mmCIF file with all atom_site columns, all heavy atoms in Angstrom:
data_model
loop_
_atom_site.group_PDB
_atom_site.id
_atom_site.type_symbol
_atom_site.label_atom_id
_atom_site.label_alt_id
_atom_site.label_comp_id
_atom_site.label_asym_id
_atom_site.label_entity_id
_atom_site.label_seq_id
_atom_site.pdbx_PDB_ins_code
_atom_site.Cartn_x
_atom_site.Cartn_y
_atom_site.Cartn_z
_atom_site.occupancy
_atom_site.B_iso_or_equiv
_atom_site.pdbx_formal_charge
_atom_site.auth_seq_id
_atom_site.auth_comp_id
_atom_site.auth_asym_id
_atom_site.auth_atom_id
_atom_site.pdbx_PDB_model_num
ATOM 1   N N   . TRP A 1 373 ? -0.161 114.292 -217.402 1.00 98.00 ? 373 TRP A N   1
ATOM 2   C CA  . TRP A 1 373 ? -0.337 113.932 -216.000 1.00 98.00 ? 373 TRP A CA  1
ATOM 3   C C   . TRP A 1 373 ? -1.043 115.057 -215.345 1.00 98.00 ? 373 TRP A C   1
ATOM 4   O O   . TRP A 1 373 ? -0.615 116.238 -215.402 1.00 98.00 ? 373 TRP A O   1
ATOM 5   C CB  . TRP A 1 373 ? 1.040  113.797 -215.350 1.00 98.00 ? 373 TRP A CB  1
ATOM 6   C CG  . TRP A 1 373 ? 1.899  112.544 -215.807 1.00 98.00 ? 373 TRP A CG  1
ATOM 7   C CD1 . TRP A 1 373 ? 2.240  112.272 -217.066 1.00 98.00 ? 373 TRP A CD1 1
ATOM 8   C CD2 . TRP A 1 373 ? 2.427  111.564 -214.952 1.00 98.00 ? 373 TRP A CD2 1
ATOM 9   N NE1 . TRP A 1 373 ? 2.945  111.078 -217.118 1.00 98.00 ? 373 TRP A NE1 1
ATOM 10  C CE2 . TRP A 1 373 ? 3.073  110.692 -215.826 1.00 98.00 ? 373 TRP A CE2 1
ATOM 11  C CE3 . TRP A 1 373 ? 2.444  111.362 -213.543 1.00 98.00 ? 373 TRP A CE3 1
ATOM 12  C CZ2 . TRP A 1 373 ? 3.721  109.492 -215.351 1.00 98.00 ? 373 TRP A CZ2 1
ATOM 13  C CZ3 . TRP A 1 373 ? 3.083  110.223 -213.088 1.00 98.00 ? 373 TRP A CZ3 1
ATOM 14  C CH2 . TRP A 1 373 ? 3.637  109.312 -213.961 1.00 98.00 ? 373 TRP A CH2 1
ATOM 15  N N   . PRO A 1 374 ? -2.013 114.854 -214.490 1.00 98.00 ? 374 PRO A N   1
ATOM 16  C CA  . PRO A 1 374 ? -2.749 115.854 -213.802 1.00 98.00 ? 374 PRO A CA  1
ATOM 17  C C   . PRO A 1 374 ? -1.903 116.818 -213.036 1.00 98.00 ? 374 PRO A C   1
ATOM 18  O O   . PRO A 1 374 ? -2.148 118.028 -212.925 1.00 98.00 ? 374 PRO A O   1
ATOM 19  C CB  . PRO A 1 374 ? -3.779 115.107 -212.946 1.00 98.00 ? 374 PRO A CB  1
ATOM 20  C CG  . PRO A 1 374 ? -3.948 113.805 -213.632 1.00 98.00 ? 374 PRO A CG  1
ATOM 21  C CD  . PRO A 1 374 ? -2.584 113.477 -214.266 1.00 98.00 ? 374 PRO A CD  1
ATOM 22  N N   . GLU A 1 375 ? -1.000 116.255 -212.293 1.00 98.00 ? 375 GLU A N   1
ATOM 23  C CA  . GLU A 1 375 ? -0.275 117.164 -211.325 1.00 98.00 ? 375 GLU A CA  1
ATOM 24  C C   . GLU A 1 375 ? 0.613  118.088 -212.132 1.00 98.00 ? 375 GLU A C   1
ATOM 25  O O   . GLU A 1 375 ? 0.911  119.229 -211.780 1.00 98.00 ? 375 GLU A O   1
ATOM 26  C CB  . GLU A 1 375 ? 0.692  116.250 -210.327 1.00 98.00 ? 375 GLU A CB  1
ATOM 27  C CG  . GLU A 1 375 ? 1.498  115.191 -211.073 1.00 98.00 ? 375 GLU A CG  1
ATOM 28  C CD  . GLU A 1 375 ? 0.930  113.948 -211.154 1.00 98.00 ? 375 GLU A CD  1
ATOM 29  O OE1 . GLU A 1 375 ? -0.183 113.818 -211.785 1.00 98.00 ? 375 GLU A OE1 1
ATOM 30  O OE2 . GLU A 1 375 ? 1.582  112.960 -210.717 1.00 98.00 ? 375 GLU A OE2 1
ATOM 31  N N   . ALA A 1 376 ? 1.117  117.704 -213.341 1.00 98.00 ? 376 ALA A N   1
ATOM 32  C CA  . ALA A 1 376 ? 1.972  118.570 -214.228 1.00 98.00 ? 376 ALA A CA  1
ATOM 33  C C   . ALA A 1 376 ? 0.986  119.453 -214.900 1.00 98.00 ? 376 ALA A C   1
ATOM 34  O O   . ALA A 1 376 ? 1.359  120.773 -215.015 1.00 98.00 ? 376 ALA A O   1
ATOM 35  C CB  . ALA A 1 376 ? 2.684  117.704 -215.245 1.00 98.00 ? 376 ALA A CB  1
ATOM 36  N N   . ILE A 1 377 ? -0.159 119.121 -215.401 1.00 98.00 ? 377 ILE A N   1
ATOM 37  C CA  . ILE A 1 377 ? -1.068 120.126 -216.008 1.00 98.00 ? 377 ILE A CA  1
ATOM 38  C C   . ILE A 1 377 ? -1.412 121.161 -215.075 1.00 98.00 ? 377 ILE A C   1
ATOM 39  O O   . ILE A 1 377 ? -1.600 122.333 -215.371 1.00 98.00 ? 377 ILE A O   1
ATOM 40  C CB  . ILE A 1 377 ? -2.282 119.317 -216.547 1.00 98.00 ? 377 ILE A CB  1
ATOM 41  C CG1 . ILE A 1 377 ? -1.982 118.314 -217.615 1.00 98.00 ? 377 ILE A CG1 1
ATOM 42  C CG2 . ILE A 1 377 ? -3.422 120.302 -216.985 1.00 98.00 ? 377 ILE A CG2 1
ATOM 43  C CD1 . ILE A 1 377 ? -3.157 117.402 -217.958 1.00 98.00 ? 377 ILE A CD1 1
ATOM 44  N N   . ASP A 1 378 ? -1.734 120.799 -213.826 1.00 98.00 ? 378 ASP A N   1
ATOM 45  C CA  . ASP A 1 378 ? -2.101 121.791 -212.833 1.00 98.00 ? 378 ASP A CA  1
ATOM 46  C C   . ASP A 1 378 ? -1.040 122.830 -212.567 1.00 98.00 ? 378 ASP A C   1
ATOM 47  O O   . ASP A 1 378 ? -1.356 123.980 -212.398 1.00 98.00 ? 378 ASP A O   1
ATOM 48  C CB  . ASP A 1 378 ? -2.343 121.003 -211.476 1.00 98.00 ? 378 ASP A CB  1
ATOM 49  C CG  . ASP A 1 378 ? -2.617 121.944 -210.316 1.00 98.00 ? 378 ASP A CG  1
ATOM 50  O OD1 . ASP A 1 378 ? -3.722 122.668 -210.377 1.00 98.00 ? 378 ASP A OD1 1
ATOM 51  O OD2 . ASP A 1 378 ? -1.841 122.087 -209.435 1.00 98.00 ? 378 ASP A OD2 1
ATOM 52  N N   . CYS A 1 379 ? 0.207  122.378 -212.642 1.00 98.00 ? 379 CYS A N   1
ATOM 53  C CA  . CYS A 1 379 ? 1.360  123.348 -212.538 1.00 98.00 ? 379 CYS A CA  1
ATOM 54  C C   . CYS A 1 379 ? 1.295  124.430 -213.716 1.00 98.00 ? 379 CYS A C   1
ATOM 55  O O   . CYS A 1 379 ? 1.530  125.635 -213.455 1.00 98.00 ? 379 CYS A O   1
ATOM 56  C CB  . CYS A 1 379 ? 2.633  122.814 -212.612 1.00 98.00 ? 379 CYS A CB  1
ATOM 57  S SG  . CYS A 1 379 ? 2.936  121.745 -211.026 1.00 98.00 ? 379 CYS A SG  1
ATOM 58  N N   . VAL A 1 380 ? 1.045  123.996 -214.920 1.00 98.00 ? 380 VAL A N   1
ATOM 59  C CA  . VAL A 1 380 ? 0.911  124.855 -216.025 1.00 98.00 ? 380 VAL A CA  1
ATOM 60  C C   . VAL A 1 380 ? -0.410 125.661 -215.963 1.00 98.00 ? 380 VAL A C   1
ATOM 61  O O   . VAL A 1 380 ? -0.393 126.944 -216.264 1.00 98.00 ? 380 VAL A O   1
ATOM 62  C CB  . VAL A 1 380 ? 0.807  124.137 -217.329 1.00 98.00 ? 380 VAL A CB  1
ATOM 63  C CG1 . VAL A 1 380 ? 0.627  124.967 -218.568 1.00 98.00 ? 380 VAL A CG1 1
ATOM 64  C CG2 . VAL A 1 380 ? 2.066  123.243 -217.459 1.00 98.00 ? 380 VAL A CG2 1
ATOM 65  N N   . LYS A 1 381 ? -1.529 125.087 -215.604 1.00 98.00 ? 381 LYS A N   1
ATOM 66  C CA  . LYS A 1 381 ? -2.806 125.769 -215.405 1.00 98.00 ? 381 LYS A CA  1
ATOM 67  C C   . LYS A 1 381 ? -2.646 126.953 -214.469 1.00 98.00 ? 381 LYS A C   1
ATOM 68  O O   . LYS A 1 381 ? -3.131 128.043 -214.664 1.00 98.00 ? 381 LYS A O   1
ATOM 69  C CB  . LYS A 1 381 ? -3.859 124.776 -215.006 1.00 98.00 ? 381 LYS A CB  1
ATOM 70  C CG  . LYS A 1 381 ? -5.266 125.469 -214.871 1.00 98.00 ? 381 LYS A CG  1
ATOM 71  C CD  . LYS A 1 381 ? -6.282 124.401 -214.491 1.00 98.00 ? 381 LYS A CD  1
ATOM 72  C CE  . LYS A 1 381 ? -7.711 124.857 -214.488 1.00 98.00 ? 381 LYS A CE  1
ATOM 73  N NZ  . LYS A 1 381 ? -8.661 123.847 -214.093 1.00 98.00 ? 381 LYS A NZ  1
ATOM 74  N N   . ARG A 1 382 ? -2.105 126.758 -213.249 1.00 98.00 ? 382 ARG A N   1
ATOM 75  C CA  . ARG A 1 382 ? -1.854 127.825 -212.329 1.00 98.00 ? 382 ARG A CA  1
ATOM 76  C C   . ARG A 1 382 ? -1.016 128.857 -212.823 1.00 98.00 ? 382 ARG A C   1
ATOM 77  O O   . ARG A 1 382 ? -1.223 130.137 -212.564 1.00 98.00 ? 382 ARG A O   1
ATOM 78  C CB  . ARG A 1 382 ? -1.432 127.316 -211.026 1.00 98.00 ? 382 ARG A CB  1
ATOM 79  C CG  . ARG A 1 382 ? -2.464 126.427 -210.289 1.00 98.00 ? 382 ARG A CG  1
ATOM 80  C CD  . ARG A 1 382 ? -2.090 125.998 -208.899 1.00 98.00 ? 382 ARG A CD  1
ATOM 81  N NE  . ARG A 1 382 ? -1.046 124.962 -208.917 1.00 98.00 ? 382 ARG A NE  1
ATOM 82  C CZ  . ARG A 1 382 ? 0.133  124.957 -208.368 1.00 98.00 ? 382 ARG A CZ  1
ATOM 83  N NH1 . ARG A 1 382 ? 0.491  126.161 -207.788 1.00 98.00 ? 382 ARG A NH1 1
ATOM 84  N NH2 . ARG A 1 382 ? 0.935  124.022 -208.487 1.00 98.00 ? 382 ARG A NH2 1
ATOM 85  N N   . ALA A 1 383 ? 0.042  128.475 -213.635 1.00 98.00 ? 383 ALA A N   1
ATOM 86  C CA  . ALA A 1 383 ? 0.956  129.477 -214.156 1.00 98.00 ? 383 ALA A CA  1
ATOM 87  C C   . ALA A 1 383 ? 0.197  130.423 -215.203 1.00 98.00 ? 383 ALA A C   1
ATOM 88  O O   . ALA A 1 383 ? 0.579  131.614 -215.347 1.00 98.00 ? 383 ALA A O   1
ATOM 89  C CB  . ALA A 1 383 ? 2.104  128.787 -214.846 1.00 98.00 ? 383 ALA A CB  1
ATOM 90  N N   . CYS A 1 384 ? -0.625 129.779 -215.954 1.00 98.00 ? 384 CYS A N   1
ATOM 91  C CA  . CYS A 1 384 ? -1.504 130.454 -216.987 1.00 98.00 ? 384 CYS A CA  1
ATOM 92  C C   . CYS A 1 384 ? -2.469 131.515 -216.295 1.00 98.00 ? 384 CYS A C   1
ATOM 93  O O   . CYS A 1 384 ? -2.650 132.646 -216.796 1.00 98.00 ? 384 CYS A O   1
ATOM 94  C CB  . CYS A 1 384 ? -2.330 129.582 -217.840 1.00 98.00 ? 384 CYS A CB  1
ATOM 95  S SG  . CYS A 1 384 ? -1.375 128.545 -219.091 1.00 98.00 ? 384 CYS A SG  1
ATOM 96  N N   . GLY A 1 385 ? -3.051 131.186 -215.234 1.00 96.00 ? 385 GLY A N   1
ATOM 97  C CA  . GLY A 1 385 ? -4.000 131.954 -214.608 1.00 96.00 ? 385 GLY A CA  1
ATOM 98  C C   . GLY A 1 385 ? -5.180 132.278 -215.489 1.00 96.00 ? 385 GLY A C   1
ATOM 99  O O   . GLY A 1 385 ? -5.525 131.480 -216.323 1.00 96.00 ? 385 GLY A O   1
ATOM 100 N N   . ASP A 1 386 ? -5.749 133.422 -215.402 1.00 96.00 ? 386 ASP A N   1
ATOM 101 C CA  . ASP A 1 386 ? -6.860 133.870 -216.243 1.00 96.00 ? 386 ASP A CA  1
ATOM 102 C C   . ASP A 1 386 ? -6.526 134.132 -217.719 1.00 96.00 ? 386 ASP A C   1
ATOM 103 O O   . ASP A 1 386 ? -7.384 134.412 -218.516 1.00 96.00 ? 386 ASP A O   1
ATOM 104 C CB  . ASP A 1 386 ? -7.767 134.938 -215.680 1.00 96.00 ? 386 ASP A CB  1
ATOM 105 C CG  . ASP A 1 386 ? -6.932 136.209 -215.399 1.00 96.00 ? 386 ASP A CG  1
ATOM 106 O OD1 . ASP A 1 386 ? -5.761 136.248 -215.930 1.00 96.00 ? 386 ASP A OD1 1
ATOM 107 O OD2 . ASP A 1 386 ? -7.434 137.126 -214.836 1.00 96.00 ? 386 ASP A OD2 1
ATOM 108 N N   . LYS A 1 387 ? -5.212 134.113 -217.979 1.00 97.00 ? 387 LYS A N   1
ATOM 109 C CA  . LYS A 1 387 ? -4.816 134.242 -219.420 1.00 97.00 ? 387 LYS A CA  1
ATOM 110 C C   . LYS A 1 387 ? -4.764 133.055 -220.292 1.00 97.00 ? 387 LYS A C   1
ATOM 111 O O   . LYS A 1 387 ? -4.608 133.126 -221.440 1.00 97.00 ? 387 LYS A O   1
ATOM 112 C CB  . LYS A 1 387 ? -3.400 134.959 -219.412 1.00 97.00 ? 387 LYS A CB  1
ATOM 113 C CG  . LYS A 1 387 ? -3.243 136.243 -218.838 1.00 97.00 ? 387 LYS A CG  1
ATOM 114 C CD  . LYS A 1 387 ? -1.797 136.830 -218.969 1.00 97.00 ? 387 LYS A CD  1
ATOM 115 C CE  . LYS A 1 387 ? -1.718 138.231 -218.568 1.00 97.00 ? 387 LYS A CE  1
ATOM 116 N NZ  . LYS A 1 387 ? -0.357 138.737 -218.639 1.00 97.00 ? 387 LYS A NZ  1
#
Side-chain angles (χ1 to χ4, degrees):
W373 294 56
E375 55 267 55
I377 295 171
D378 175 65
C379 292
V380 178
K381 183 176 181 180
R382 290 187 288 120
C384 287
D386 60 8
K387 292 183 177 180

